[in-house]
Amino acid sequence: MGSHRMRTLRPWLLLAPTLALMAVLLAWPLGRVVWLSLQNYGLRELNRGTTNFVGFDNYVSVLTQPYLWTIVLPNTIGFAVVTVVGTVALGTLVALFLATLPVAWRYLASSAVMVAWAVPAITGTYVWVFLFDAADGLVTHALGGLGVIETGSVNWFLERWSFFGIAALNVVHHGFPFVAVTVLAGLLTVPTELYEAAVIDGAGAWRRFWSVTVPVLKPIFAVVTILSTIWDFKVFAQIFLMPGGSGTNREVFNLGVWSYIQSFAQGRYGLGAAIAVLLTLLLLGITVVYLRTLFVEEDL
Amino acid sequence: MQNETGKSKLMWLVIDLIVLLYAFIPVFWIISLSLKDSATLNDGNYFPRSITFESYQQIFANNDFTRALINSIGICLIATFIALLLGTFAAYAVARLQFPGKKIIVGMSLMVSMFPQIALVTPLFRIETAVGIFDTWLGLIIPYITFAMPLAIYTLSAFFREIPWELEKAAKMDGATPFQAFRQVIAPLAMPGVFTTAILVFISCWNDFLFALSLTSTSAARTVPAAMSYFQGATTFEKPTGPIAAAAVVITIPIVIFVLLFQRRIVAGLTSGAVKG
């Protein structure tokens, strides 16, 4: 009897420290941010320590702003769509290439890909900014040398499209190695007989990819796509550290940066919290899809 | 894919070349910038004319940077250690024991890893200021553990599922005490997974920018990524390109070394969530 109770209790004893920690460290701040989002909480309230409950006013204010619909949401969602497609496509391409290599070369080439993964997001962001610097960037010099543009005359960071183009190059560069090694690991588990049978049936490389590789690796593609979506929705440093991204150019904010600027630069903590809650809800939706995909696939 | 035509082979080659350039130009460019002297920093040459360690000397002579480096190393090591310690218990329960509510636990821990850090920055800032741990090591270690935990549990449990646990029973039958069985049989088998997870957790802490930026205000706890954004040029009009490039290289080197030394394991850890053993 005692040992039976011990057996039911054991998993919870092992989980207790983690659960307790998470409850305190996550649930508490999370409760606070929701509470904050229901208040008109600015520097005055911060200094006085008073509260000023306004219900859903912050949400109404955020959701009725044309700025949200014309700038921030397109910046967040459009950017995520482009970078996810880019990351998964490039990662898959690299994986297919790696799979054709002999083992020793594959190992070497994977190392090279993993070096790109190892470059921290912050380092990557500085590099891409330096590459496209209006006066001294490598790309600017190269294009100037080719006579495409006049060096120093174009500032890529001022314009929304080129700003996000550079940000996309940066985010895809940081993200594709993960997709590449994951898809590669999957590719190596695909039975070669399937490809041989397809070859006998006269299927070309393109056809083999779509009718053998994609169906077999569907769960893997689902996981890397959803994970990339989640990461690309919440990019912060990669936008914030680009010229204009830290507050001067409102054209380039995404939900995360907008929330940060409202809270820390403008001192409108209530509004910033409301934006953060909206971003959280958006990610929660994607996560639920992710969990369903995962639990359908494997029995934990 | 043997019977490919010459044309499609050529296409592959071109694509590979573009991908290779895309992957490596940024890496070479930042290294090149960090090795240029201030006179040739902006000359647009891909390779430095003459190699100088001026920028590195400059950042290592800067107390704010060396302090930030110590902060980064210390904070990330402590956070990794605690996350691994707690994560090992939890992962053992998830991987080895059957109990009701297990799916919910795994689902919740994944949910946490998806959580946007930005949502917690303001409340954490307020709470830490009130409690008096704002701008301290502890103030960063706490959120790092929170966000590293799910990663630790998930990766560890994937590794733990692969361990042949029958060996433990066999050792006990051979007369080993439970502790001996654990120490001599299970621990050596579990070590690679624990070690790999530690590297992944360390990297995730090391790369953080948002918490480091908003939960610190002085060099007391500011880590390198946040400290870099405060770099200034020699004059107001000079951009701090050289020092930033050098610092960016410095924070990248340890991660590159990890990756090159333990590539197989890191890849196994990264893909454990998506690819079944």
Side-chain angles (χ1 to χ4, degrees):
Chain A
M1 197 63 194
S3 97
H4 177 73
R5 184 183 292 166
M6 193 57 215
R7 198 163 297 159
T8 4
L9 267 179
R10 201 158 69 134
W12 298 105
L13 284 177
L14 288 166
L15 287 167
T18 304
L19 291 178
L21 194 80
M22 293 312 239
V24 175
L25 298 184
L26 205 72
W28 186 23
L30 188 61
R32 293 277 306 197
V33 81
V34 174
W35 177 80
L36 208 60
S37 74
L38 300 173
Q39 319 218 1
N40 180 2
Y41 202 96
L43 283 175
R44 202 178 47 163
E45 286 76 14
L46 184 70
N47 292 334
R48 287 189 189 160
T50 54
T51 56
N52 185 2
F53 190 77
V54 292
F56 287 98
D57 278 11
N58 287 321
Y59 291 95
V60 172
S61 151
V62 170
L63 290 170
T64 53
Q65 276 188 44
Y67 177 63
L68 172 78
W69 302 99
T70 56
I71 303 286
V72 176
L73 266 190
N75 284 357
T76 311
I77 297 174
F79 181 71
V81 170
V82 170
T83 48
V84 168
V85 170
T87 309
V88 174
L90 187 66
T92 307
L93 199 70
V94 172
L96 288 171
F97 166 67
L98 292 175
T100 62
L101 294 176
V103 175
W105 280 104
R106 187 192 297 153
Y107 188 73
L108 209 67
S110 309
S111 302
V113 169
M114 288 302 289
V115 168
W117 176 80
V119 174
I122 176 156
T123 302
T125 307
Y126 281 117
V127 183
W128 288 98
V129 170
F130 290 154
L131 278 170
F132 284 91
D133 188 284
D136 331 306
L138 184 67
V139 176
T140 323
H141 270 275
L143 291 178
L146 290 171
V148 180
I149 57 163
E150 196 184 320
T151 311
S153 70
V154 184
N155 186 343
W156 313 87
F157 300 103
L158 289 179
E159 225 258 312
R160 192 176 165 204
W161 287 96
S162 48
F163 180 99
F164 276 103
I166 297 166
L169 282 174
N170 174 22
V171 168
V172 171
H173 184 263
H174 190 60
F176 87 86
F178 167 73
V179 176
V181 296
T182 308
V183 173
L184 176 66
L187 279 176
L188 299 178
T189 65
V190 178
T192 43
E193 300 88 66
L194 286 179
Y195 287 112
E196 283 158 12
V199 170
I200 291 167
D201 290 346
W206 182 252
R207 186 71 206 281
R208 286 201 298 274
F209 175 71
W210 286 107
S211 42
V212 178
T213 314
V214 171
V216 175
L217 296 188
K218 212 174 139 198
I220 291 176
F221 281 118
V223 170
V224 294
T225 306
I226 296 167
L227 284 178
S228 303
T229 309
I230 289 162
W231 291 328
D232 295 349
F233 254 96
K234 52 179 187 184
V235 287
F236 177 80
Q238 291 96 323
I239 302 294
F240 188 81
L241 285 173
M242 278 173 68
S246 60
T248 49
N249 188 356
R250 278 174 61 89
E251 290 268 291
V252 300
F253 292 177
N254 62 11
L255 276 174
V257 174
W258 192 30
S259 165
Y260 186 89
I261 301 286
Q262 285 297 341
S263 303
F264 285 88
Q266 318 263 5
R268 292 192 206 121
Y269 293 97
L271 204 65
I275 301 168
V277 171
L278 288 176
L279 176 63
T280 309
L281 290 176
L282 210 59
L283 282 166
L284 207 65
I286 304 170
T287 308
V288 169
V289 177
Y290 173 57
L291 289 179
R292 289 181 62 164
T293 320
L294 211 65
F295 284 138
V296 166
E297 179 205 344
E298 71 182 308
D299 259 327
L300 283 158
Chain B
M1 317 202 174
Q2 302 89 347
N3 58 347
E4 278 178 32
T5 59
K7 205 172 148 193
S8 75
K9 259 199 180 135
L10 188 74
M11 199 189 77
W12 265 107
L13 203 71
V14 172
I15 292 174
D16 295 337
L17 202 70
I18 293 172
V19 171
L20 220 61
L21 287 177
Y22 176 52
F24 282 103
I25 285 181
V27 179
F28 283 124
W29 182 239
I30 195 94
I31 296 172
S32 165
L33 278 180
S34 74
L35 294 173
K36 285 181 173 181
D37 56 31
S38 44
T40 60
L41 197 59
N42 300 327
D43 63 0
N45 273 327
Y46 197 68
F47 296 100
R49 287 269 162 73
S50 60
I51 286 175
T52 156
F53 290 94
E54 218 175 77
S55 298
Y56 291 93
Q57 280 162 355
Q58 199 181 328
I59 56 169
F60 279 104
N62 175 351
N63 285 333
D64 283 341
F65 178 78
T66 46
R67 181 63 219 228
L69 203 57
I70 295 169
N71 291 340
S72 269
I73 296 170
I75 289 170
C76 295
L77 280 180
I78 296 172
T80 305
F81 180 77
I82 299 174
L84 261 285
L85 193 70
L86 298 177
T88 304
F89 293 129
Y92 179 87
V94 169
R96 279 219 66 199
L97 308 173
Q98 288 303 330
F99 58 95
K102 190 159 116 175
K103 274 195 178 182
I104 297 173
I105 296 288
V106 175
M108 259 171 45
S109 91
L110 282 171
M111 210 85 110
V112 172
S113 65
M114 306 314 154
F115 207 80
Q117 284 86 338
I118 186 85
L120 294 192
V121 163
T122 305
L124 277 175
F125 168 73
R126 304 264 302 110
I127 293 168
E128 294 200 352
T129 317
V131 181
I133 57 167
F134 174 73
D135 199 24
T136 64
W137 277 27
L138 190 62
L140 279 181
I141 289 171
I142 286 174
Y144 286 176
I145 295 173
T146 317
F147 278 94
M149 218 49 185
L151 176 70
I153 295 174
Y154 198 67
T155 319
L156 278 173
S157 60
F159 278 114
F160 284 177
R161 271 197 289 271
E162 305 294 314
I163 293 178
W165 293 94
E166 316 83 66
L167 288 179
E168 188 183 31
K169 213 174 265 173
K172 280 185 198 156
M173 277 169 144
D174 288 345
T177 63
F179 179 71
Q180 278 174 329
F182 175 78
R183 204 178 61 105
Q184 292 177 356
V185 180
I186 296 304
L189 288 170
M191 262 339 268
V194 172
F195 182 72
T196 307
T197 311
I199 292 179
L200 291 177
V201 167
F202 184 86
I203 291 175
S204 79
C205 300
W206 185 258
N207 288 353
D208 168 72
F209 173 70
L210 182 54
F211 286 133
L213 179 74
S214 23
L215 299 179
T216 63
S217 60
T218 66
S219 58
R222 198 175 274 154
T223 59
V224 179
M228 279 166 69
S229 65
Y230 288 94
F231 276 1
Q232 278 163 359
T235 66
T236 334
F237 301 104
E238 195 182 305
K239 280 180 275 185
T241 308
I244 285 184
V249 171
V250 169
I251 60 165
T252 307
I253 287 172
I255 313 295
V256 170
I257 291 176
F258 282 152
V259 165
L260 291 179
L261 285 180
F262 309 110
Q263 188 204 327
R264 246 180 248 270
R265 284 184 186 167
I266 291 178
V267 169
L270 277 180
T271 56
S272 61
V275 185
K276 265 197 273 184

